[in-house]
Amino acid sequence: MSNAKNLFGLGVSLYFWGLMDLTTTVLSGSARPLTEGQEDNLSDKLHQRMKRSWVWNQFFVLEEYTGTDPLYVGKLHSDMDRGDGSIKYILSGEGAGIVFTIDDTTGDIHAIQRLDREERSQYTLRAQALDRRTGRPMEPESEFIIKIQDINDNEPKFLDGPYVASVPEMSPVGTSVIQVTATDADDPTYGNSARVVYSILQGQPYFSVDSRTGLIRTALMNMDREAKEYYEVIIQAKDMGGQLGGLAGTTTVNITLSDVNDNPPRFPQKHYQMSVLESAPISSTVGRVVAKDLDEGINAAMKYSLVDGDGLDVFDINTDPNYQVGIITVRKPLSFESKKSYTLKVEGANPHLEMRFLNLGPFRDTTTVHISVEDVDEPPVFEPSIYFVEVPEDVEIGTTIQIISAKDPDVTNNSIRYSIDRSSDPGRFFYVDITSGALMTARPLDREDISWHNITVLAMELNNPSQVGSVSVTVKVLDVNDNAPEFARFYEAFVCENAKAGQLIQTVSAIDRDDPQEGQHFYYSLAPEAANNPNFTLRDNQDNTAWILTRRSGFRQHEQSTFYLPILISDNGRPVLSSTGTLTVHVCSCNQEGMVMSCNAEAYVLPVSLSRGALIAILACIFVLLVLVLLILSMRRQRKQPYIIDEEENIHENIVRYDDEGGGEEDTEAFDIAAMWNPREAQLVVKNRQDMLPEIESLSRYVPQACVMDNNVHNYVLAKLYEADMDLWAPPFDSLQTYMFEGNGSVAESLSSLQSVTTDSDQSYDYLTDWGPRFKKLAEMYGATDSSGALW
């Protein structure tokens, strides 16, 4: 190995380290030996120093070495090494012993592993020279760097790819779309290994890319999203400035043309035909119209409106924001009898426009909608739709208070029948004439009990009872003066024995259930029979109250302890009504301050006392009377006992179900008909039918026995009718009898004459003889004969 290689390594600059005051000489360029003068000068300087220092190269080594031998990196040398092997070189630091090794005698460094600059660009190591014999350091430990020199071994990479971008359709040429960036891991400061150039491999002629910046732009004008929406563009990045031999990488850019409002809406139909029932409620849907728009999103948003036609005030149109359709709805009630069809002109327009595309418009379109109104059988309609009636409470029964009018709105104009919804008039105060609709009173009205009646009148078509209309009738009962005033409460007064004349003992007031419009005003006076009462007098205060005053003094409890003073109370109504109330006045003993002490009269001792014998006689008479009363009651009870019919023994209504036809004279097991004519003499034990239990119990228990007015069925039925009339909520007790031995499923088949042969020839009824004894009478009636020819 030449001296140049030993001194400089791989042709890299040589550095000499001496003492701190020694000037460092740097040689760069190609490897070359020192001149003779330089060697002498250097030798003189080194021999003048007390301590020598390290001598080695600053090393560079190429990456990606693929040879089989270790790669020589450089040489370490100390000026104390005289070449006799007494110096031992030791290498430590990053990669020492793993990546790099050193010859401890010569100081030669070799790389034993493949180096990659992209993984690590330099290694920092430390070197030391030791005395081989003593192991004593000959020089202080020094640090040096091995740098990895780059080669072009990495292609450009798009770290953010693949890319997704969008650009508005119809964009001008040169509109920026997206910028792509490729990264080359090679050293950008060494050669052209990391100099990248961009080009487009796929996507022309629609797009272009800037070779230096990677910015993608549109390259074709008037690109239409409706024609083609998605584009796949492939971009290449190549290093070495794009020269031959450079490495390349590619990425995909998915570009979408975003929508702009460049397409006006158009109705696919110029005429729509729709129909709607005349009974359709307000806001119900009639039909839908839609205008097609090739755009999407907000650019396809639609606004529908009615611009012309004869149904602008009858129909309305709304826009469904989700599906962009126009929904035609009913705005006012429809009537087939008034108008059978309507014509509407509907407009659909884009509310969001772009000024640069207005020349492609107009962005609106119209269509015509014909709507036919279909007739339905409508319930009767009342005119007016609500009634308010005022009626005085003293109106006579049967008085017509209002004429309720309804008509069939259909063309057929069916007849109307009126009735009252009984749930609205449970007291049955009113009645409506079934044909004229005259609303009349059926019971006396009393404002003080019920002042308002809210009833519902029903109108039903005669030919179609399912069509029923209703109207609310509010009846206000007006007040008349039919209630006399009376005391507000029970009045009881007290007067002292030492009371003076003119002393107030009670203030009275009155109430009246009537409510006159001018207000209540009462007049008080003593009743005619007490007009000249010597004890008390009355003063009307003219404020609906009156005072009761004493007329004299000197009341005595033992003379008269209680006085009853009748007071006449009159109202101001028309006619004037009055009533008499009684004031009870007790005479009491009072102290000097007028405080009541006692109102009970002192008891007086009877002059004659009853003996013990008299008391016993009185008690004996009372006992005898009690015995007589009990005896009389017992005798009356025994006389009535035969006429009482127990509820469980009542046989008036044993309603039973028969699963076969009656057998004529042989059917005697149901009940005894004689009991219906004389129920009071009925046997205690009822003869029940043995072949079947009754399906419904006797209902006579629900009829009060007091209503059975006579011993015949007629009066019994009348009693039942009376009970039903008095009980407003009693359900009707009906029974459906089922007979299953006639018709196509029975042995006798159908007994109906509807399918009989209509000919003049005689029909044979001989088959009746095969039906058994139960049809013997029927066979005799039709002259059927048995097989022997004799009449059966």
Side-chain angles (χ1 to χ4, degrees):
M1 189 176 294
S2 64
N3 292 334
K5 184 174 182 182
N6 292 336
L7 185 61
F8 297 106
L10 296 175
V12 185
S13 301
L14 174 65
Y15 297 89
F16 294 93
W17 281 267
L19 297 177
M20 296 301 295
D21 58 346
L22 177 64
T23 303
T24 302
T25 302
V26 180
L27 301 178
S28 60
S30 59
R32 63 184 185 275
L34 296 177
T35 63
E36 228 176 72
Q38 290 174 334
E39 287 180 354
D40 294 339
N41 187 22
L42 180 59
S43 177
D44 293 339
K45 289 182 179 180
L46 290 177
H47 286 290
Q48 292 175 4
R49 301 304 176 197
M50 296 295 296
K51 184 178 180 180
R52 301 188 183 274
S53 184
W54 286 100
V55 179
W56 68 75
N57 299 332
Q58 180 177 352
F59 306 110
F60 287 85
V61 59
L62 288 175
E63 64 173 336
E64 303 295 344
Y65 173 70
T66 58
T68 58
D69 297 329
L71 176 64
Y72 180 77
V73 177
K75 183 180 181 66
L76 296 181
H77 181 72
S78 174
D79 56 358
M80 299 181 66
D81 187 2
R82 302 188 179 279
D84 55 359
S86 61
I87 301 298
K88 180 181 180 180
Y89 295 98
I90 298 176
L91 186 66
S92 62
E94 297 175 347
I98 300 174
V99 180
F100 302 100
T101 61
I102 188 171
D103 189 327
D104 61 353
T105 301
T106 63
D108 292 334
I109 301 174
H110 293 82
I112 60 176
Q113 289 189 7
R114 185 179 64 87
L115 301 176
D116 189 351
R117 189 201 67 82
E118 286 71 36
E119 294 181 1
R120 193 177 190 122
S121 61
Q122 66 180 21
Y123 293 85
T124 301
L125 295 100
R126 294 182 299 277
Q128 191 173 22
L130 303 177
D131 189 317
R132 189 178 295 274
R133 292 188 302 275
T134 63
R136 182 174 59 83
M138 301 298 293
E139 298 287 349
E141 187 179 55
S142 298
E143 186 178 85
F144 66 97
I145 297 173
I146 298 178
K147 293 187 176 181
I148 311 301
Q149 190 174 2
D150 182 53
I151 64 173
N152 188 21
D153 60 341
N154 290 280
E155 72 278 3
K157 293 181 179 180
F158 294 91
L159 301 181
D160 297 329
Y163 296 86
V164 176
S166 64
V167 62
E169 62 174 331
M170 312 298 288
S171 296
V173 175
T175 302
S176 298
V177 179
I178 191 175
Q179 184 175 12
V180 296
T181 302
T183 302
D184 196 318
D186 294 325
D187 189 359
T189 63
Y190 181 77
N192 293 328
S193 299
R195 183 167 173 264
V196 178
V197 174
Y198 299 94
S199 62
I200 184 169
L201 301 182
Q202 178 180 312
Q204 295 175 330
Y206 307 103
F207 300 95
S208 63
V209 64
D210 188 293
S211 61
R212 184 177 61 85
T213 63
L215 179 62
I216 300 176
R217 294 185 174 90
T218 58
L220 188 66
M221 62 182 304
N222 296 332
M223 286 192 293
D224 192 358
R225 184 196 67 86
E226 289 73 32
K228 185 176 182 180
E229 183 176 4
Y230 301 102
Y231 295 86
E232 185 179 74
V233 178
I234 298 178
I235 302 297
Q236 175 183 271
K238 190 174 183 179
D239 61 11
M240 298 299 291
Q243 297 176 5
L244 186 64
L247 302 180
T250 61
T251 188
T252 300
V253 182
N254 295 311
I255 301 176
T256 302
L257 295 184
S258 59
D259 185 59
V260 297
N261 193 7
D262 59 340
N263 292 280
R266 293 292 179 262
F267 283 101
Q269 298 177 229
K270 287 302 181 181
H271 297 278
Y272 288 85
Q273 184 67 41
M274 301 178 184
S275 62
V276 60
L277 297 177
E278 63 172 334
S279 60
I282 303 299
S283 299
S284 60
T285 300
V286 179
R288 291 173 170 81
V289 295
V290 58
K292 299 295 184 179
D293 193 325
L294 297 179
D295 297 321
E296 63 180 11
I298 193 174
N299 298 312
M302 204 67 61
K303 176 64 177 178
Y304 295 93
S305 59
L306 302 178
V307 296
D308 197 6
D310 56 358
L312 297 180
D313 58 339
V314 181
F315 299 96
D316 200 357
I317 189 168
N318 301 303
T319 303
D320 186 341
N322 296 323
Y323 300 99
Q324 302 301 325
V325 298
I327 304 175
I328 301 176
T329 57
V330 178
R331 186 176 181 182
K332 288 184 178 181
L334 303 174
S335 176
F336 173 81
E337 292 72 24
S338 300
K339 190 172 179 60
K340 297 180 176 59
S341 65
Y342 296 88
T343 300
L344 301 174
K345 188 175 183 180
V346 180
E347 180 184 81
N350 288 143
H352 306 285
L353 302 178
E354 295 191 26
M355 301 303 296
R356 61 193 180 105
F357 298 118
L358 290 180
N359 61 317
L360 302 177
F363 287 84
R364 62 183 67 246
D365 196 17
T366 59
T367 187
T368 302
V369 179
H370 298 282
I371 301 176
S372 300
V373 180
E374 296 183 358
D375 187 27
V376 296
D377 192 1
E378 300 174 279
V381 177
F382 287 90
E383 295 180 359
S385 59
I386 188 172
Y387 287 87
F388 177 77
V389 182
E390 293 182 338
V391 56
E393 60 179 325
D394 61 348
V395 64
E396 295 183 358
I397 296 177
T399 302
T400 299
I401 61 174
Q402 181 69 45
I403 300 297
I404 308 299
S405 177
K407 67 176 183 178
D408 184 4
D410 299 319
V411 178
T412 55
N413 194 17
N414 292 322
S415 298
I416 306 298
R417 294 295 180 264
Y418 300 92
S419 62
I420 294 178
D421 184 356
R422 285 305 169 192
S423 63
S424 65
D425 184 27
R428 298 179 180 248
F429 290 96
F430 301 96
Y431 168 79
V432 64
D433 186 80
I434 190 172
T435 56
S436 65
L439 182 63
M440 297 172 284
T441 56
R443 291 181 59 185
L445 303 179
D446 190 353
R447 187 202 66 85
E448 288 70 35
D449 289 339
I450 304 177
S451 59
W452 291 86
H453 296 267
N454 294 307
I455 62 175
T456 300
V457 178
L458 307 177
M460 177 182 66
E461 292 184 12
L462 182 61
N463 297 335
N464 188 1
S466 63
Q467 297 297 329
V468 180
S470 63
V471 68
S472 177
V473 181
T474 301
V475 180
K476 180 181 180 182
V477 182
L478 302 178
D479 183 56
V480 296
N481 193 26
D482 58 346
N483 291 279
E486 56 187 15
F487 277 145
R489 59 181 179 84
F490 174 74
Y491 287 104
E492 188 176 29
F494 302 93
V495 61
C496 294
E497 289 181 323
N498 56 359
K500 298 179 181 180
Q503 182 175 336
L504 174 65
I505 62 171
Q506 184 66 50
T507 301
V508 296
S509 62
I511 58 173
D512 193 333
R513 297 180 63 191
D514 295 322
D515 186 19
Q517 295 182 355
E518 60 274 11
Q520 299 279 8
H521 187 74
F522 303 123
Y523 304 95
Y524 300 89
S525 63
L526 294 178
E529 63 270 19
N532 298 321
N533 191 295
N535 302 310
F536 304 98
T537 184
L538 182 145
R539 179 185 298 173
D540 193 340
N541 297 323
Q542 301 299 318
D543 60 354
N544 290 340
T545 64
W547 287 351
I548 308 301
L549 309 171
T550 58
R551 177 169 285 185
R552 67 178 178 86
S553 61
F555 292 94
R556 295 293 180 265
Q557 206 176 44
H558 65 273
E559 293 179 357
Q560 186 172 351
S561 61
T562 305
F563 294 89
Y564 298 98
L565 185 65
I567 300 175
L568 181 66
I569 311 171
S570 304
D571 60 16
N572 59 333
R574 297 290 183 271
V576 176
L577 297 180
S578 63
S579 67
T580 301
T582 302
L583 173 65
T584 303
V585 183
H586 297 283
V587 180
C588 302
S589 298
C590 303
N591 56 19
Q592 294 298 327
E593 289 78 17
M595 302 298 294
V596 176
M597 298 177 60
S598 175
C599 294
N600 296 325
E602 297 180 359
Y604 291 92
V605 180
L606 294 176
V608 179
S609 61
L610 296 176
S611 63
R612 181 179 297 178
L615 292 176
I616 294 175
I618 293 174
L619 293 176
C621 292
I622 294 175
F623 178 75
V624 172
L625 289 175
L626 290 175
V627 171
L628 290 176
V629 170
L630 293 175
L631 182 61
I632 292 173
L633 291 176
S634 177
M635 293 177 64
R636 292 183 62 183
R637 183 178 182 86
Q638 290 180 0
R639 285 198 301 269
K640 290 184 178 181
Q641 186 67 26
Y643 298 97
I644 298 177
I645 300 177
D646 188 77
E647 291 182 353
E648 298 296 330
E649 298 173 352
N650 198 330
I651 56 174
H652 288 183
E653 283 189 12
N654 286 332
I655 301 179
V656 298
R657 186 188 71 184
Y658 295 90
D659 282 341
D660 55 12
E661 279 195 12
E665 296 86 351
E666 295 182 2
D667 189 9
T668 59
E669 296 185 358
F671 52 83
D672 187 2
I673 194 63
M676 294 293 291
W677 298 100
N678 194 7
R680 299 186 186 275
E681 301 299 331
Q683 298 297 327
L684 296 180
V685 180
V686 180
K687 182 180 179 182
N688 293 326
R689 188 179 178 95
Q690 301 299 321
D691 57 345
M692 183 175 296
L693 294 177
E695 188 179 46
I696 304 177
E697 295 182 1
S698 173
L699 303 179
S700 61
R701 66 181 62 184
Y702 303 105
V703 182
Q705 296 299 324
C707 295
V708 182
M709 296 174 289
D710 200 356
N711 298 335
N712 55 65
V713 178
H714 180 262
N715 288 346
Y716 180 75
V717 173
L718 292 179
K720 291 275 292 180
L721 180 60
Y722 174 76
E723 180 202 20
D725 290 339
M726 296 304 296
D727 190 354
L728 301 179
W729 307 107
F733 296 102
D734 296 337
S735 176
L736 176 64
Q737 307 297 331
T738 304
Y739 299 95
M740 303 178 64
F741 282 83
E742 179 182 343
N744 295 331
S746 67
V747 177
E749 296 183 350
S750 177
L751 299 180
S752 173
S753 62
L754 296 178
Q755 297 179 354
S756 301
V757 181
T758 56
T759 60
D760 296 336
S761 61
D762 294 335
Q763 184 175 353
S764 175
Y765 297 96
D766 292 342
Y767 57 86
L768 295 176
T769 59
D770 299 331
W771 290 0
R774 292 196 176 197
F775 297 92
K776 179 179 179 181
K777 286 291 185 182
L778 187 62
E780 291 177 355
M781 292 175 59
Y782 283 88
T785 58
D786 58 11
S787 59
S788 61
L791 183 63
W792 190 41

